[in-house]
Amino acid sequence: MADNSTEQKNWRGVGNEDSDIDSAGNLILAGRSRRLLMSLVRPYKKQALLALAIIVLDNIAFVAGPLFIAYALDDGISAATNGDWGPLAWTVLGYIGFGVLGAITTYTFLIVSGRLSQDILFDLRRRVFTHAQQLSLSFHEKYTSGRLISRLTSDVESLQTLLESALNDALSAVLSIVTIAVILVYLDVPLALIVLAGFVPLVLVTRWSQRAQRTGYRRTRVAIAKVVVHFVESMGGIRAVQVFRREKRNDAILELEDTEYRDATTAALRGMASYTGIVRWIGNVTLVIIVVFGSYRVINGHMDIGVLAAYVLYLRRFYGPLDELAMVFNAYQSAAAALEKISGVLEEDPSVEAPEHPVALATARGVVDFDAVHFAYNADRVVLPEFSLHIPAGQIVAMVGATGAGKSTLAKLLARFYDPTEGSVSLDGVDLRKIGDENMREHIVMVTQESFLFSGSIADNIRLGRPAATDDEVAAAAEAVGLTEFIATLPDGIDTDVRKRGGRLSSGQRQLVAFARVFLAAPAVIVLDEATSSLDIPSERLVQRALETILRGRTALIIAHRLSTVGIADRVLVMENGSIVEDGTPADLIAGHGQFADLHEAWEDSLV
Ligand SMILES: Nc1ncnc2c1ncn2[C@@H]1O[C@H](COP(=O)(O)OP(=O)(O)O)[C@@H](O)[C@H]1O
Ligand SMILES: [Mg+2]
């Protein structure tokens, strides 16, 4: 439920920037949606022009038919009565010829435009995915994966509907309406004026419908995103869901959100249905008037019967596409709402910016400095008021402190998931903001409480630390962290699949895999944020030994939950409300009378 409000909340413009709506009530694509659409189509300009040329031909073939009928009725028949079958034969041949042309152009158009829209959608999906991966942690901490999934699936899908079918219909509809209008004027001006008069109510109805619909489609986009978010969150946290018997409540939430989606969609469909109905009705009334007035003109000899027949045939073809336009308009509204959401994600900049002229650090000694760092996630609450800390190369620092003191924030700043609001964090005296991202991540690696394993084997997961590593190096890393014994029990050894998110491994074993990654990566600085706190005592012992191996000779900041980890530290820091309140060697602090001494005493008592 937590995400419901964020979908509407305005943070850095995402998800809330309205499309411009002009005074006539037409929905115009907002600047960024239009830019996105343009940039998507630009690489395929040639294919788009080809599709356009084919559709023009297709339209000519479609529109030509009734002209042949008029000619056959008015000239062909009279010539035939005089024994000259030529004109009638030509009409038949012409009609068939254009029919064949129409079949070929329709086929080619569907192929060309289908390929075109698939290519565009392919690019769009890739762009959203690539971009979202590059966005900083701060984005992902606010924009849930469910919302991203809904951008990639249902929003892309509604654009697909527009591109695939609707656009074909729209193009041919507009073309045939224009062509037919010209032919109608050419055939008979007074009748054309009547058709034109019928346009007045048509335009009024269209405007009314647009106004009524424009919010409806935004509503459906927001609603479906909520359904997906809820789905992803419930399944992602399925263990917590079952442990705390949250199924019923989740069902209820889904029902509520899905009802909103169903209702929003139904409302949008109802709007479209009334529009289509009214358009048809206006069409039929116009047709009746044309037939009555046309017959009158034929009787008075102002018009040939064949022309009237052609007129009636054309009117049918005139209003048919208007129906289609109504459908296209719906698809367009839906796609515009989707495009707006997608472009919102694409226009998000990573809050951690890449340096323009990066300083290359081929090797790092591992000197870490926090220099007068001020940091706040939001303007309303400062987490680190002014934080300074110097860690010499190779020092192992353990940090303890109450929950919410700002320890993880410090770790995230050192791993550059965030930049300080003021002051700087530096490695070997170089501000992290000046080091390229890849370069920085070679030297600073963070491990957190939950280690994520990807689908693939244990070896694949360890190799993440250094993709170029040989099999022997991977095996050595596993050995170094004490995984060898466990691996020996697996059916395929180190090449055993870890199953979904490492489901085959215990959390302690997953943590060891994460440490093996770090061992392989061999960075100068290691940040461990409560990396051992979820482990039971036996696995913790195992990890403890692994830690001593991988930390040897490196700078480390270990945020510890259990004091057993502190044993290997050279220095201990106690943090409170974003500042350091105690700083010294473990022995010194234990000998003193501060918080750490108390903590340590309590811990020792618990061991007895
Ligand atoms: N992504 C975030 N957005 C906003 N506030 C946050 C975020 N992460 C942490 N905080 C806040 O910052 C403070 C410090 O959190 P944290 O560094 O995680 O503490 P610790 O790791 O010491 O328990 C807490 O008050 C927490 O509510
Ligand atoms: Mg924390």
Side-chain angles (χ1 to χ4, degrees):
M1 268 322 252
D3 193 67
N4 293 2
S5 53
T6 46
E7 182 77 40
Q8 284 127 19
K9 224 184 269 169
N10 189 7
W11 48 277
R12 303 219 289 138
V14 170
N16 203 31
E17 191 180 302
D18 277 17
S19 294
D20 304 331
I21 290 161
D22 73 7
S23 54
N26 298 313
L27 190 89
I28 295 178
L29 280 184
R32 65 177 190 203
S33 304
R34 194 171 40 232
R35 273 197 301 281
L36 171 59
L37 199 61
M38 288 305 188
S39 71
L40 282 171
V41 176
R42 203 169 299 125
Y44 301 102
K45 226 188 258 164
K46 270 191 201 144
Q47 288 94 317
L49 286 176
L50 178 65
L52 199 67
I54 300 173
I55 197 78
V56 168
L57 267 183
D58 189 54
N59 181 58
I60 291 174
F62 174 73
V63 160
L67 277 182
F68 284 102
I69 304 276
Y71 181 70
L73 287 178
D74 292 336
D75 301 338
I77 293 179
S78 57
T81 13
N82 296 332
D84 179 10
W85 290 87
L88 212 51
W90 277 119
T91 340
V92 171
L93 277 181
Y95 200 90
I96 293 175
F98 275 94
V100 171
L101 176 68
I104 295 173
T105 49
T106 304
Y107 168 81
T108 333
F109 179 74
L110 287 179
I111 301 277
V112 172
S113 69
R115 177 69 210 216
L116 177 65
S117 57
Q118 287 310 321
D119 282 343
I120 289 176
L121 292 166
F122 178 84
D123 285 356
L124 181 63
R125 278 191 300 268
R126 190 175 47 189
R127 259 160 79 169
V128 174
F129 185 80
T130 312
H131 188 76
Q133 277 204 116
Q134 284 166 351
L135 285 174
S136 324
L137 201 62
S138 63
F139 171 82
H140 292 284
E141 281 177 350
K142 286 170 190 153
Y143 209 98
T144 62
S145 46
R147 278 170 77 200
L148 271 177
I149 290 172
S150 130
R151 296 293 91 91
L152 271 168
T153 53
S154 68
D155 284 348
V156 168
E157 219 165 76
S158 70
L159 190 64
Q160 175 165 5
T161 315
L162 179 71
L163 287 176
E164 264 182 2
S165 52
L167 220 50
N168 303 352
D169 293 343
L171 274 176
S172 31
V174 168
L175 276 174
S176 58
I177 287 173
V178 170
T179 329
I180 292 175
V182 170
I183 295 177
L184 289 183
V185 171
Y186 160 78
L187 285 178
D188 191 72
V189 176
L191 287 191
L193 285 177
I194 293 177
V195 176
L196 205 64
F199 254 87
V200 175
L202 216 54
V203 169
L204 290 179
V205 167
T206 306
R207 280 198 180 181
W208 162 80
S209 163
Q210 285 179 356
R211 252 187 228 131
Q213 296 270 86
R214 75 189 172 209
T215 44
Y217 279 93
R218 293 173 54 80
R219 206 180 128 202
T220 62
R221 293 295 98 209
V222 174
I224 188 65
K226 282 185 191 171
V227 171
V228 177
V229 164
H230 183 59
F231 223 92
V232 170
E233 197 175 279
S234 304
M235 299 308 145
I238 191 70
R239 264 185 279 183
V241 167
Q242 293 182 349
V243 165
F244 295 105
R245 315 290 322 149
R246 210 183 123 96
E247 296 94 335
K248 284 227 176 65
R249 186 158 153 60
N250 276 353
D251 285 346
I253 295 172
L254 183 75
E255 192 169 321
L256 202 75
E257 288 173 345
D258 219 357
T259 306
E260 162 64 10
Y261 177 58
R262 185 193 59 194
D263 292 350
T265 313
T266 316
L269 284 176
R270 204 179 301 129
M272 185 192 79
S274 352
Y275 178 69
T276 314
I278 294 174
V279 168
R280 287 227 174 131
W281 186 75
I282 295 175
N284 284 331
V285 169
T286 314
L287 188 70
V288 170
I289 297 175
I290 291 286
V291 169
V292 172
F293 187 59
S295 311
Y296 174 76
R297 283 173 62 75
V298 171
I299 292 164
N300 285 342
H302 294 309
M303 191 179 173
D304 290 331
I305 182 88
V307 173
L308 180 60
Y311 230 94
V312 170
L313 286 175
Y314 274 126
L315 270 189
R316 278 257 154 257
R317 294 187 176 199
F318 194 58
Y319 285 100
L322 278 178
D323 268 18
E324 275 164 25
L325 269 190
M327 304 278 255
V328 173
F329 184 67
N330 273 279
Y332 169 79
Q333 296 267 32
S334 178
L339 211 55
E340 184 208 312
K341 297 264 174 214
I342 295 175
S343 59
V345 174
L346 286 177
E347 293 214 343
E348 270 288 310
D349 286 325
S351 56
V352 174
E353 265 174 55
E356 241 171 76
H357 307 287
V359 176
L361 281 185
T363 56
R365 289 185 297 129
V367 183
V368 169
D369 277 287
F370 286 83
D371 195 11
V373 168
H374 173 95
F375 183 77
Y377 288 99
N378 323 101
D380 52 331
R381 199 166 156 270
V382 175
V383 179
L384 302 176
E386 199 195 325
F387 187 91
S388 292
L389 174 66
H390 171 77
I391 307 178
Q395 190 174 63
I396 298 179
V397 179
M399 177 173 273
V400 295
T403 304
K407 306 180 299 293
S408 297
T409 306
L410 211 61
K412 284 190 260 183
L413 285 169
L414 180 51
R416 208 185 171 213
F417 285 115
Y418 287 88
D419 279 332
T421 332
E422 280 165 41
S424 68
V425 183
S426 55
L427 172 65
D428 289 2
V430 183
D431 192 327
L432 293 187
R433 281 172 288 213
K434 293 197 184 124
I435 310 174
D437 189 57
E438 266 183 49
N439 193 195
M440 188 224 86
R441 302 220 174 269
E442 277 171 40
H443 301 309
I444 305 178
V445 170
M446 173 156 109
V447 180
T448 57
Q449 193 167 350
E450 253 316 301
S451 286
F452 195 92
L453 298 198
F454 294 91
S455 331
S457 67
I458 295 184
D460 293 339
N461 270 290
I462 294 177
R463 194 171 272 119
L464 213 60
R466 182 152 52 88
T470 63
D471 288 350
D472 286 346
E473 286 169 326
V474 171
E479 169 85 49
V481 300
L483 263 175
T484 319
E485 245 172 75
F486 164 67
I487 287 174
T489 66
L490 295 173
D492 298 320
I494 201 163
D495 294 317
T496 308
D497 198 282
V498 296
R499 307 242 174 94
K500 191 177 142 200
R501 289 192 192 171
R504 175 171 232 148
L505 279 60
S506 74
S507 56
Q509 290 158 346
R510 281 205 293 272
Q511 210 61 350
L512 289 178
V513 170
F515 286 147
R517 274 178 195 163
V518 179
F519 184 84
L520 203 56
V525 179
I526 297 179
V527 187
L528 302 178
D529 187 1
E530 311 209 336
T532 59
S533 58
S534 68
L535 308 183
D536 51 26
I537 300 292
S539 2
E540 208 198 346
R541 290 230 174 87
L542 213 63
V543 169
Q544 206 67 40
R545 252 180 290 144
L547 266 185
E548 283 171 33
T549 317
I550 66 168
L551 295 186
R552 204 166 294 141
R554 307 182 197 289
T555 309
L557 178 66
I558 309 173
I559 297 165
H561 194 67
R562 299 206 188 154
L563 292 196
S564 50
T565 322
V566 176
I568 55 171
D570 303 317
R571 178 183 177 190
V572 173
L573 303 173
V574 179
M575 194 166 182
E576 203 178 273
N577 293 329
S579 320
I580 290 170
V581 290
E582 288 174 38
D583 180 354
T585 62
D588 284 351
L589 289 187
I590 291 166
H593 299 283
Q595 282 189 34
F596 187 72
D598 293 346
L599 272 174
H600 191 79
E601 201 175 327
W603 176 66
E604 281 202 318
D605 288 348
S606 76
L607 290 181
V608 183

